Every structure is written in C-alpha cells, then in structure tokens.
C-alpha cells in the first residue's frame, strides 16, 4: 500500500509464505478492491480503464503518467516514449454520488505503483480527494482544486484543502 492508503495490509511471517503470496500476485490470483472518494464524478457509472502508464520527468522530478499506445492509431503528432510502459487495467464502479463528489469501488487487474491514482486522476479527470500528485496532468505539488460543495460539507476552508488526506481505502483482498 502507498503510505497514505488506509485499509487491509497483507503480511507474510515466513519467507515461504512471502514467496507464495508474491507468486499469487504475479499470476493475478489475488484480487483487490478499493474504495475511493473522488473530487468529481465520472461521466460513466462503471467502466474499465485500459491505458498503459509509464514514468516521465517533469521539472527534474519523476512521476507516473498515462502512456497511451498511439502506434496502432492514425494519430501521428505524438512522440514515442522512452522507458518502460506498463499495461495497466483498472475497473471502477460508482457506488454513490453527492454533489461534485463520488464514492467508487476500484478493482485493479494489474497492480502497478500509483495505478489507481493515475487512472482516476489523469484517466477520468476525477482525482482521488486529497491526491495532489495526480490531480493535474502537467503540474506537480500544487494543491488539488477541491470543489466548493465538498469543502463546505467537510467544513474545510479553501486555504486548508492541502491538508486533506488521501481518500483511498483498501477494502478487500
């Protein structure tokens, strides 16, 4: 889990159990479900985000971002990517909407670092509430622009929105 993610954490007491769990994860026999509160509402209530992710450097800092495969399309004005491109797939379902926020269940089929955060924030343009890193595609470390109705319900001043925790919870494994 990311250090800011709450919920279930799977630990192994022995090296053998660790190896077994690692192999089960590699074979995708262990399924994970997360709940996330989004700063926004997806246009579609459920779907599958199948967009590869990869590392880029912005202002000297590394960050993951979407890396769509343009080689099989008619798009010709996109640069070719250097570095690893990871085939990331995430399913989501909206459980509840309220104003400009939504509670979603997220089921990653692949399990890459920050995959859920990248797919929700950059893929759907509905970042996880409190996720400042993946709220804007080209900016780092700027506070997330939280919708006013969310701040009002949370009774948080706009100037303190930077202090909101990442609302991502590992619900089931």
């Amino acid at each position: 889990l990311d250090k800011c993610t709450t919920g279930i954490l799977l630990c192994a007491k022995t090296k053998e159990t660790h190896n077994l769990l690692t192999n089960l994860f590699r074979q995708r026999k262990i399924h994970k479900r997360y709940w996330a509160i989004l700063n926004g509402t997806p246009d579609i209530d459920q779907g599958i985000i199948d967009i590869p992710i990869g590392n880029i450097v912005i202002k000297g800092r590394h960050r993951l971002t979407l890396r769509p495969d343009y080689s099989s399309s008619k798009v010709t004005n996109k640069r070719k990517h250097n570095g690893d491109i990871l085939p990331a797939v995430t399913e989501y379902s909206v459980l509840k909407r309220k104003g400009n926020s939504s509670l979603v269940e997220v089921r990653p089929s692949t399990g890459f670092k920050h995959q859920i955060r990248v797919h929700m924030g950059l893929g759907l343009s509905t970042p996880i509430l409190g996720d400042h890193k993946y709220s804007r595609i080209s900016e780092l470390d700027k506070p997330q622009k939280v919708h006013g109705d969310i701040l009002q319900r949370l009774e948080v001043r706009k100037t303190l929105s930077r202090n909101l925790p990442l609302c991502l919870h590992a619900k089931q494994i």
Side-chain angles (χ1 to χ4, degrees):
L1 289 177
D2 292 339
K3 66 181 179 180
C4 302
T5 303
T6 62
I8 296 172
L9 180 64
L10 191 58
C11 299
K13 283 184 155 184
T14 66
K15 186 73 171 169
E16 293 81 24
T17 305
H18 175 268
N19 292 337
L20 173 69
L21 291 172
T22 301
N23 287 332
L24 290 172
F25 274 108
R26 277 194 194 117
Q27 297 166 8
R28 296 195 176 113
K29 292 185 176 179
I30 295 178
H31 303 283
K32 300 172 277 186
R33 292 179 186 265
Y34 293 82
W35 279 3
I37 299 174
L38 302 183
N39 182 19
T41 56
D43 293 334
I44 301 170
D45 281 345
Q46 61 184 7
I48 299 172
I49 305 165
D50 186 358
I51 305 172
I53 58 177
N55 200 31
I56 61 168
V57 178
I58 298 176
K59 297 178 185 172
R61 296 184 64 191
H62 292 271
R63 152 183 162 161
L64 290 174
T65 191
L66 301 173
R67 292 294 199 177
D69 181 11
Y70 293 109
S71 62
S72 61
S73 71
K74 294 180 182 180
V75 177
T76 58
N77 64 342
K78 299 295 180 182
R79 290 185 292 160
K80 299 293 181 226
H81 306 300
N82 294 330
D84 293 335
I85 297 176
L86 308 169
V89 179
T90 306
E91 288 184 64
Y92 74 92
S93 301
V94 175
L95 301 175
K96 186 169 183 154
R97 295 173 183 262
K98 181 150 184 161
N100 284 319
S101 63
S102 52
L103 173 66
V104 296
E105 181 178 86
V106 183
R107 298 167 303 281
S109 298
T110 52
F112 298 112
K113 176 183 176 182
H114 295 187
Q115 172 182 323
I116 295 171
R117 296 170 65 186
V118 172
H119 275 168
M120 294 295 109
L122 306 181
L124 293 181
S125 298
T126 54
I128 297 171
L129 187 62
D131 188 358
H132 306 290
K133 188 169 189 173
Y134 297 106
S135 292
R136 301 180 195 163
I137 215 155
S138 62
E139 297 175 351
L140 287 174
D141 293 332
K142 290 202 175 178
Q144 185 181 69
K145 291 182 180 175
V146 181
H147 296 290
D149 66 316
I150 298 172
L151 292 173
Q152 186 177 12
R153 283 196 313 273
L154 293 174
E155 298 179 3
V156 173
R157 288 194 324 247
K158 188 175 186 177
T159 56
L160 298 176
S161 67
R162 175 74 163 175
N163 299 331
L164 289 174
L166 181 71
C167 295
L168 180 61
H169 180 74
K171 179 74 175 153
Q172 185 179 40
I173 189 163

